[in-house]
Amino acid sequence: MYMMVSGPEEWVNPMAVAGANQSTFHLEATENPGALIKDIWENGMKVCFAIKRGTTVEYVAPWANQIDMSLVMAVEPGFGGQKYMEDMMPKVHWLRTQFSSLDIEIDGAVDPDTIHKCAEAGANMVVSGSAILRSEDPRSVINLLRNVCSEAAQKRSLDR
Ligand SMILES: O=C(CO)[C@@H](O)[C@H](O)COP(=O)(O)O
């Protein structure tokens, strides 16, 4: 569950009770990331920290070895159909070079035209809304996005 909320602490247990197996919260929204991580773990869920455009990616570093995934927003949180922010890709690349086994997700304007940039930067997971929902062949879009990410991940593992 990706929760774009302030005060994420109050949502951890309700998400677990509702059946979520992973909690994604914005790092900017908590005063105590360490306590939030512990609470999510104690509720039996994986942990993902999301960062917005204005947050430096180094802010994730102290927690990166304690979380399961980091989400780099390629749009401002809020709604679909926004313009892709290519200048967020260096954040993804930095995370991939520093934390090779971390799941790194990109959310925002991911489509057949932007997926290669996302994958080359180091993302192994993506969120896509408009590109799929507006397509006459959603399955082919999903397969393309998945295949591009998988091929990039395989190339990275061969290059190590
Ligand atoms: O809603 C958000 C941003 O907060 C994301 O889920 C994406 O914006 C999905 O929509 P597209 O950008 O792929 O249209």
Side-chain angles (χ1 to χ4, degrees):
M1 287 292 292
Y2 172 24
M3 300 293 288
M4 293 179 266
V5 296
S6 57
E9 289 77 7
E10 63 191 84
W11 291 94
V12 173
N13 182 258
M15 288 296 105
V17 169
N21 63 4
Q22 174 171 296
S23 287
T24 300
F25 292 107
H26 272 270
L27 197 47
E28 304 93 346
T30 180
E31 296 293 326
N32 192 337
L36 181 56
I37 291 170
K38 184 172 180 291
D39 191 18
I40 294 171
W41 279 344
E42 287 174 353
N43 277 271
M45 296 182 288
K46 289 185 174 182
V47 183
C48 175
F49 277 162
I51 53 173
K52 299 194 297 186
R53 178 188 193 113
T55 302
T56 176
V57 69
E58 287 79 4
Y59 190 32
V60 177
W63 318 105
N65 289 318
Q66 300 177 48
I67 62 178
D68 302 280
M69 182 167 83
S70 185
L71 165 57
V72 176
M73 294 301 294
V75 296
E76 286 299 334
F79 52 92
Q82 299 179 66
K83 189 176 182 307
Y84 179 71
M85 298 192 289
E86 186 170 352
D87 58 340
M88 295 295 104
M89 294 308 103
K91 290 184 178 181
V92 177
H93 185 259
W94 187 86
L95 282 171
R96 179 56 65 214
T97 55
Q98 298 296 316
F99 307 101
S100 59
S101 61
L102 179 68
D103 279 336
I104 302 171
E105 183 181 51
I106 294 175
D107 182 348
V110 177
D111 62 29
D113 295 326
T114 62
I115 185 63
H116 295 84
K117 294 171 186 170
C118 297
E120 285 159 17
N124 64 308
M125 302 175 85
V126 296
V127 171
S128 181
S130 306
I132 294 169
L133 298 174
R134 293 175 181 167
S135 169
E136 291 182 6
D137 187 355
R139 184 177 303 278
S140 70
V141 175
I142 293 169
N143 287 338
L144 170 69
L145 301 180
R146 180 181 289 137
N147 292 341
V148 168
C149 281
S150 296
E151 288 163 12
Q154 286 171 4
K155 184 178 184 305
R156 282 194 295 274
S157 63
L158 291 173
D159 291 347
R160 274 189 204 146

